[in-house]
Structures are given as structure tokens and as C-alpha cells.
Amino acid sequence: MAAYTQESAAPVIAALVTKLNTWRREYYTNDAPSVEDSEYDATYRQLQELEAQFPALIQPDSPTQAVGDVINPAFTKVPHAVPMLSMGDVFSLGELQDWAARLQSGVDEAVAYNVELKIDGLSLSLVYEQGRLVQGSTRGDGNIGEDVTPNVLTIADIPHTLPEPLDLEVRGECYMPKAAFAKLNAAQEADGAKPFANPRNAAAGSLRQLDAAVTAKRELATFMYTLVAPEQYGVTTQHEAIAFMRRLGFATNPSSVVAQDLDQIDAYITTQTADRDALSYGIDGIVVKVDSLPLQAQLGNTVKVPRWEIAYKFPPEEAETVVREIEWTI
Ligand SMILES: NC(=O)c1cc2c(=O)c3cc(F)ccc3oc2nc1N
């Protein structure tokens, strides 16, 4: 990072904010970003570092001050009783260790973690009343989401009714399986339409459709990962919450495990990184959560992200994979 003064940093920060906001609008409004996630992440961290150095220069419209996505005004708005936050990121095992050490230092009991694949899709909330699906919504800006109820009713693995007449809300990831993505882009090319850049954008463009008949053809799928207000159902850990949702008929990811320490988390990351290409859906990292739900509540959230979970992001696939192979052969 070049050495800046407050004066010389101001225009640089302004330019970074403009560039990142343009990319955000592309990404969240028409689900077609012009840059790879890795370039967005790198530019975002550059802005974070400059804002940390010169807090007086933080602009109100800086993407570091916003939660979540840009809302499409064409959808009915849905207030989220419990905010749908995003997650903090780390990009190395060292950073993950630092996160876990900071967290453990504030807690008496030994922390156990629930470790999950980070499905590369978009967040989805499902609300049931007396066991019937009444609403589906996107994250939106975290407090206000977009009502996509007609669309979620067309997604095959979302139950319309539950085996018990429960009032509950669950949250998860809506994604497009790799095979469905390949089929969709072949059809796009055949129709002379623009292909989607990746399965995540295809899922977002398919879920955030004003015409549910289009969503119905897109073969979307879900993995649910959060039970809202778990204490109402006597659920006290994240791994129990996943089993509870699975028993109710929700699709939950089979690969999550409880880890007692960093070595077990590291082993999980190594295994899942090796198996990544064999998965029928895209993942872009691993999510490490405090397993105890009361401890999660005690740790709480910052304005943007929970303190009790972190996303370990895989390096960008192309270049990094080659570099890593070279590392291993030395
Ligand atoms: N992409 C994912 O596979 C995934 C994403 C999230 C979140 O975004 C997330 C956001 C919150 F505010 C709280 C818990 C979460 O848990 C999550 N767990 C996951 N497995």
C-alpha cells in the first residue's frame, strides 16, 4: 500500500467507492457483474485498509457501510424481523486461526464449531404459518428483502407444507446446480441471449424474476442453514438445527460437521477443497460457526456480520490452483 496523506488519499477513496458501487449495482441489480469476485474482494479490501488509515474519509455511500444487496423496487418489500446479515471473510488459515483465538479469548468454555460448505448462491428466507409456506424473500439490504413467494413455490426441494403445523422461519442458500447452469447457458447461446457468468449469477437472475414461470424452468435448488428463534423448538446447537430442518423436509447440506478445534477445521478444509470439483453445485469457501446457539446469541453481531461465524474463502480457482500445485511439488 503506497504511503498516503489525508489529502492524497481522499481522491483514491472516492474512486474506489465509485468503482465498487458500480460493480455492486451490476451484481445485485441485473446479476451480471463485469468483474470476477476475486477482483471485487481485492478492491474492497484496499478500500477497507484506506478507510482504516483515514476514518475521517469514510463516505456514507461506501460499500463498507452497506449490508447486503441492492433492492429491485419492482418486488414487494418484506421486512426481516431478524436482520439477514452477511458474513465476515478470511482468506487464509492464519486469519482463521486469529479469528478463532480472538473469539475463544472472550469465552470461558471451550468453543466447538459447526463447519459447513459455503454454497455459492444467494440467501433466501422461508416463512411458514401453521406448517404452510406463506412467504419467500431475498436478503435485500439485510433489513428489507424482496418478496419472491411465487418463485419459491416453483423450487422442487422447498416443502409447501411441513409434517407439523409449526410457525417458523428458516434461511438458506438458493443455488443453481452445475448441470442446470450448463443446460441454461446452452439454451441462452441457442437463443442468441447473453450467457450467465457463473451459477451464482444465474441463480440470482432466476430467483429474482418477476415472472415465476421463468423461475420454474430454471431448476433451482436450496440448502437451508439457519433456524430462526431456535429456542422456540428446544434446539440449542447449530448441528441440531440442521438435523431439525432436515427432519421437517428441508434440503440441508450433508457435508457439515462439528469440529472441536482448528486442526479438525483445517482437515475439513483440506478434504473439501480436494472434493470441490466433484460436487454437483458450486461452493466458494467454508463457513465456520460457533455450534452453541446460546453462545452465538451472547457473542452477537456487528453492524454487518455475526461475530460467531466466519467465511473462509477459497483462493480464485484458476491462477491459485496452479500456484498451489507448484507449491506442493517443491
Ligand atoms: N453460503 C452458505 O452456504 C452459507 C451462508 C450463510 C450466511 O450468509 C449467514 C448469514 C448470517 F447472518 C448468519 C448465518 C449465516 O450462515 C450461513 N451459512 C452458510 N452455510
Side-chain angles (χ1 to χ4, degrees), residues 303-318:
V303 168
K304 282 189 72 172
V305 301
R307 287 193 189 87
W308 44 266
E309 72 172 349
I310 198 78
Y312 167 85
K313 295 289 282 285
F314 291 139
E317 290 205 64
E318 306 74 31

Side-chain angles (χ1 to χ4, degrees), residues 96-156:
L96 182 59
Q97 240 140 12
D98 295 345
W99 171 80
R102 265 198 318 277
L103 188 139
Q104 181 67 71
S105 68
V107 171
D108 302 338
E109 72 217 67
V111 178
Y113 302 94
N114 196 64
V115 194
E116 305 170 13
L117 297 182
K118 187 173 180 303
I119 312 303
D120 196 9
L122 69 157
S123 294
L124 175 65
S125 159
L126 300 173
V127 176
Y128 290 75
E129 286 172 2
Q130 296 301 308
R132 297 196 62 76
L133 177 57
V134 294
Q135 187 175 75
S137 61
T138 62
R139 172 173 29 220
D141 66 9
N143 293 304
I144 304 282
E146 299 151 324
D147 188 324
V148 287
T149 307
N151 304 356
V152 302
L153 287 168
T154 72
I155 299 176

Side-chain angles (χ1 to χ4, degrees), residues 25 92 249 252:
R25 259 194 309 283
S92 73
T252 58

Side-chain angles (χ1 to χ4, degrees), residues 1-2 4 12-13 16 19-20 39-53:
M1 176 61 71
Y4 287 101
V12 174
I13 285 180
L16 288 173
K19 187 156 64 167
L20 286 162
E39 184 173 357
Y40 180 90
D41 286 344
T43 308
Y44 186 89
R45 283 167 85 88
Q46 195 185 349
L47 174 60
Q48 277 183 315
E49 282 159 17
L50 273 175
E51 289 182 343
Q53 219 178 330

Side-chain angles (χ1 to χ4, degrees), residues 83-87 116-123 139 171-173 223-226 238 284-285 287 289 296 301 304-306 308-309:
M84 288 181 77
L85 303 178
S86 49
M87 292 189 286
E116 305 170 13
L117 297 182
K118 187 173 180 303
I119 312 303
D120 196 9
L122 69 157
S123 294
R139 172 173 29 220
R171 294 166 175 185
E173 203 78 4
F223 285 123
M224 306 320 282
Y225 51 64
T226 292
Q238 172 61 6
D284 62 342
V287 184
K289 302 177 182 178
Q296 286 185 9
N301 310 322
K304 282 189 72 172
V305 301
W308 44 266
E309 72 172 349

